Amino acid sequence: MAYGKLADVYDDVLVGEGAHARWAEFLDGLWRGEVRRVLDVCCGTGLLAAELVARGYEVVGVDGSEAMLAQARRRVDAPFHCSMLPALGVEGEFDAAVSTFDGFNYLSPDELRSSFGALAGVVRAGGWLVFDLHTDEEMRFMAANPVVESGGFRLTSVVDEVARTCEMTLEGEAFTEHHLEYFHRPADVRSSLEAAGFEVASVRDDYSDRAAGESTQTAVWIARRA
Ligand SMILES: C[S@@+](CC[C@H](N)C(=O)[O-])C[C@H]1O[C@@H](n2cnc3c(N)ncnc32)[C@H](O)[C@@H]1O
């Protein structure tokens, strides 16, 4: 099962030092006081939720892995719900929804489209949807670097550039997990967002002020509900 035992070591072996603090700073600067209630989708171990709560936001987290959510609940006092997208498993209205660190790459194109529809049902008019996705440049990078080893951890990637998928095997001392990610076509992402009632404000290179370009490996999509 994906994100089972990996949850115990996720923060140590997969996450870059200070990454979530940097992303929270980016979001805080983007929202400029317009946002109070945030839905953190595919929230994982709650690293971003904790950074947002520390900055005064009210955060609700959703993830499909109980093991990841157990870590999140230990980290921060916020409501966390277990649900597999496209089902959100939450009600109410949010000023923003966010998904960091390639959570949406785990969704098939159909699931991504349905998830945007579900998010349009909980993000208020004028509210924000911000998420990152691997780009085609990242797909090529992963194909060219099929094995990555670091700190007793090994990631093996099998990229199918026609199917636009990556089958990953993650091996640590106490676990082996198989993950499947999708590389979404930017035109499909845009049309799925628009069909759900979101307008794309910009697509950035990582969490920066630069527009995404040819060399971008992580594209950050910033959309607003019409
Ligand atoms: C790479 S982690 C990112 C976690 C977190 N957003 C972060 O920034 O650290 C991807 C997360 O997506 C969750 N996930 C994958 N597919 C999902 C789905 N269909 N529904 C809900 N969560 C999902 C996994 O359980 C995992 O916690």
Side-chain angles (χ1 to χ4, degrees), residues 2-3 10-11 14-15 20 23 40-48 62-65 68 83-87 99-104 106-107 111 132 181:
Y3 292 102
Y10 173 87
D11 297 352
L14 283 188
V15 177
H20 291 79
W23 302 339
D40 184 358
V41 188
C42 300
C43 63
T45 59
L47 287 161
L48 184 76
V62 175
D63 198 277
S65 160
M68 295 292 271
S83 187
M84 285 299 280
L85 267 62
S99 187
T100 56
F101 211 25
D102 65 36
F104 283 178
Y106 281 84
L107 306 176
E111 289 168 339
D132 61 54
E181 287 202 357

Side-chain angles (χ1 to χ4, degrees), residues 60-199:
V60 175
V62 175
D63 198 277
S65 160
E66 280 290 8
M68 295 292 271
L69 290 171
Q71 300 287 340
R73 291 186 185 108
R74 271 195 281 273
R75 184 187 309 282
V76 56
D77 184 14
F80 289 101
H81 302 277
C82 191
S83 187
M84 285 299 280
L85 267 62
L88 286 177
V90 293
E91 291 177 352
E93 193 174 66
F94 295 85
D95 302 308
V98 62
S99 187
T100 56
F101 211 25
D102 65 36
F104 283 178
N105 285 103
Y106 281 84
L107 306 176
S108 70
D110 281 352
E111 289 168 339
L112 185 66
R113 193 175 315 114
S114 301
S115 298
F116 289 157
L119 287 165
V122 298
V123 173
R124 69 163 164 79
W128 301 77
L129 172 57
V130 184
F131 56 94
D132 61 54
L133 287 176
H134 293 320
T135 63
D136 283 17
E137 183 61 16
E138 175 69 3
M139 176 167 68
R140 288 187 283 271
F141 178 84
M142 291 174 87
N145 297 275
V147 181
V148 176
E149 286 181 300
S150 152
F153 174 80
R154 174 199 285 248
L155 168 63
T156 308
S157 304
V158 179
V159 173
D160 182 333
E161 294 194 35
V162 176
R164 303 180 67 85
T165 56
C166 181
E167 289 179 30
M168 297 182 294
T169 303
L170 298 95
E171 293 165 276
E173 275 173 21
F175 66 92
T176 298
E177 292 194 2
H178 300 286
H179 295 199
L180 176 62
E181 287 202 357
Y182 298 83
F183 297 98
H184 298 291
R185 287 189 177 82
D188 294 347
V189 176
R190 188 175 286 271
S191 66
S192 295
L193 281 167
E194 288 171 358
F198 288 101
E199 291 171 357

